[in-house]
Amino acid sequence: MPIPEKHFFVCTNRRPPGVEVPSCGAQDGFEILAALREERDRRGLAASVFITATGCLGPCPAKGGTVVVYPDGSWYTGLSTADVPEIGEQHMAGGKPVSRLLDKEFSRVE
Ligand code: FES
């Protein structure tokens, strides 16, 4: 099995009915997961960029999805599917996180 250069963990957590805390699964988390995989595959990066669905990662933004990328420690919160092409171009292919989309509180990079 190859060792990935980047590993994207994408929150798809859903909460039970009646729980009022926001969740990524209710805010396009599954669509963001699918779009990231499509973007990676379109660029031929499946051997170097792994993408895994996860449960809650912690930040639980009021709007949008949450993604953390290792080994660089980049956190994206409040994502939409419209952000995915830029992440594909700059982060997956270019190796640099998209600064304007980073969660500055959680990320180890700028
Ligand atoms: S539900 Fe996605 S980070 Fe908590």
Side-chain angles (χ1 to χ4, degrees):
M1 183 169 166
I3 297 172
E5 292 174 23
K6 300 268 184 223
H7 199 151
F8 286 63
F9 294 91
V10 183
C11 178
T12 56
N13 183 48
R14 285 187 195 270
R15 302 202 192 281
V19 176
E20 299 299 324
V21 179
S23 70
C24 299
Q27 302 180 98
D28 293 341
F30 290 94
E31 290 81 0
I32 292 166
L33 173 68
L36 284 168
R37 285 178 171 157
E38 280 181 29
E39 186 72 25
R40 174 205 55 197
D41 293 348
R42 188 176 66 78
R43 294 174 181 279
L45 297 171
S48 59
V49 177
F50 287 13
I51 301 173
T52 302
T54 74
C56 180
L57 292 165
C60 309
K63 261 189 137 180
T66 301
V67 175
V68 60
V69 186
Y70 289 111
D72 47 86
S74 307
W75 283 80
Y76 296 112
T77 54
L79 283 185
S80 76
T81 54
D83 299 318
V84 169
E86 189 174 1
I87 292 172
E89 173 73 26
Q90 193 172 316
H91 201 165
M92 287 183 187
K96 287 187 156 190
V98 181
S99 181
R100 72 171 189 87
L101 297 174
L102 289 177
D103 185 303
K104 307 295 191 239
E105 181 181 349
F106 286 88
S107 294
R108 289 187 302 197
V109 294
E110 293 184 15

